[in-house]
Amino acid sequence: MIKEGVWVNSTYSQIKCFEGIESVYAHYKDEHFSPHVHEGYAIGIIERGAQKFFYKGGNHLSGAGSLVAVNADAIHTGQSASDNGWSYRAIYPTPEVVNRVLADYTDGRHYSPSFQTPTIENPVLTNHLRTLFEYSDIDSPALVLESLLITFLSNLARASGSKLPDGETASAKANIERVRDYIREYSHQNLTIDELANLAGINKYTLLRQFKQAYGLAPHQYQIQLRIRHAQTLLRQGVAPSIVATDCGFYDQSHLSAHFKKALGVTPKHYLNGMQMCRR
């Protein structure tokens, strides 16, 4: 779109976990953002081009692939540092959400990290945030999005220099097998990480770590695999994809298709066609 002679293109949405986290995908070419603040943290990836901005008393430059993290209520500016502008994708979690996500590290004490250096060159963190966006785009279950966000924010806090305990307590004894069985029974439901942690009697971070140690997958990965496996069974039985989607816990057929293709490399339709060919 055109905004007062300036080419602007931005789309706002929500990451559907922890009561919703604002997200944006934007491209700006000639826009100059005057000093301003956000209610939440601004954490994003420069996807194309480069951006320059003023933050914490200094000028900064972020190029393609850079992770940018700006504190909530921190004054900053923004403008292009390349001829064709810059594209980025970002989340804006409030301090309250960040504190809730990281509460397991602080025994319930209030904690919100402070990012002193806004540009972070860390491909692992960048790819992790991209994964969060990818799964959000296909309306993944809350368990998937919560797990990805918890791991991302805890690793980001450490990368920024914040000291966090390891999330484990010697006295914590996880009932991981019980959690696994619960996910198996209710894989079609929109489970949450808090629900599973309460079931196991441990904190969220310990649950994620111990479950993966026991079964090789995080709880959200395990749930998705169960859904896909059940979908395969129903498709082989000739059940219509629209019904398969509902029975397996997906929002609709398009969401089933997106997850199915991400897991197996083919859509449910192509999978079904392949099965039918094999029977001839």
Side-chain angles (χ1 to χ4, degrees):
M1 67 179 183
I2 302 296
K3 176 184 176 184
E4 297 180 356
V6 177
W7 191 86
V8 178
N9 185 10
S10 58
T11 302
Y12 284 85
S13 59
Q14 275 197 340
I15 306 291
K16 295 178 182 177
C17 65
F18 295 107
E19 285 77 55
I21 297 170
E22 186 176 285
S23 171
V24 67
Y25 179 78
H27 176 81
Y28 299 111
K29 186 176 181 182
D30 301 312
E31 183 75 286
H32 290 248
F33 292 99
S34 58
H36 64 285
V37 300
H38 297 287
E39 177 186 5
Y41 290 89
I43 304 171
I45 304 165
I46 306 297
E47 296 288 11
R48 297 179 184 85
Q51 175 196 23
K52 56 184 177 182
F53 58 101
F54 180 85
Y55 173 76
K56 282 189 173 291
N59 293 308
H60 303 272
L61 178 69
S62 300
S66 297
L67 190 68
V68 179
V70 173
N71 295 326
D73 292 325
I75 296 174
H76 60 287
T77 63
Q79 66 184 87
S80 177
S82 58
D83 292 339
N84 294 319
W86 81 102
S87 300
Y88 69 95
R89 192 158 190 189
I91 55 174
Y92 299 96
T94 63
E96 291 74 22
V97 167
V98 173
N99 179 64
R100 178 180 167 188
V101 170
L102 299 179
D104 288 342
Y105 295 95
T106 58
D107 294 327
R109 297 188 303 275
H110 182 81
Y111 170 78
S112 295
S114 178
F115 303 113
Q116 301 302 315
T117 303
T119 300
I120 301 170
E121 304 297 342
N122 187 316
V124 174
L125 279 175
T126 299
N127 288 335
H128 195 132
L129 183 55
R130 282 200 182 105
T131 301
L132 175 62
F133 288 133
E134 289 171 6
Y135 277 100
S136 177
D137 287 344
I138 56 176
D139 283 324
S140 296
L143 181 60
V144 175
L145 302 178
E146 289 175 353
S147 300
L148 290 171
L149 186 67
I150 289 168
T151 305
F152 171 72
L153 286 179
S154 60
N155 289 338
L156 177 62
R158 286 196 177 93
S160 71
S162 299
K163 292 184 178 180
L164 294 173
D166 64 8
E168 292 279 9
T169 57
S171 60
K173 185 177 181 180
N175 194 343
I176 297 300
E177 185 175 341
R178 186 179 180 191
V179 171
R180 181 203 63 186
D181 293 342
Y182 188 82
I183 296 174
R184 283 179 174 174
E185 185 173 357
Y186 299 104
S187 66
H188 60 289
Q189 294 189 7
N190 201 18
L191 306 176
T192 68
I193 193 69
D194 284 332
E195 184 178 353
L196 299 183
N198 289 335
L199 182 66
I202 54 177
N203 65 50
K204 297 186 289 287
Y205 182 79
T206 303
L207 168 65
L208 293 174
R209 176 182 292 182
Q210 292 191 3
F211 195 97
K212 190 167 186 177
Q213 286 176 344
Y215 302 111
L217 296 170
H220 68 277
Q221 295 170 321
Y222 190 76
Q223 184 188 36
I224 290 294
Q225 289 301 311
L226 289 174
R227 287 186 175 189
I228 296 300
R229 192 184 309 164
H230 186 41
Q232 288 177 272
T233 299
L234 294 177
L235 288 168
R236 287 196 298 266
Q237 292 172 354
V239 180
S242 59
I243 298 175
V244 171
T246 302
D247 286 353
C248 294
F250 296 103
Y251 292 107
D252 56 29
Q253 189 174 334
S254 66
H255 296 142
L256 164 65
S257 218
H259 281 284
F260 202 93
K261 187 172 183 180
K262 195 171 184 66
L264 300 178
V266 296
T267 64
K269 181 179 179 181
H270 283 96
Y271 177 81
L272 188 56
N273 289 341
M275 291 296 102
Q276 291 172 343
M277 288 291 291
C278 290
R279 295 192 190 105
R280 293 175 184 174

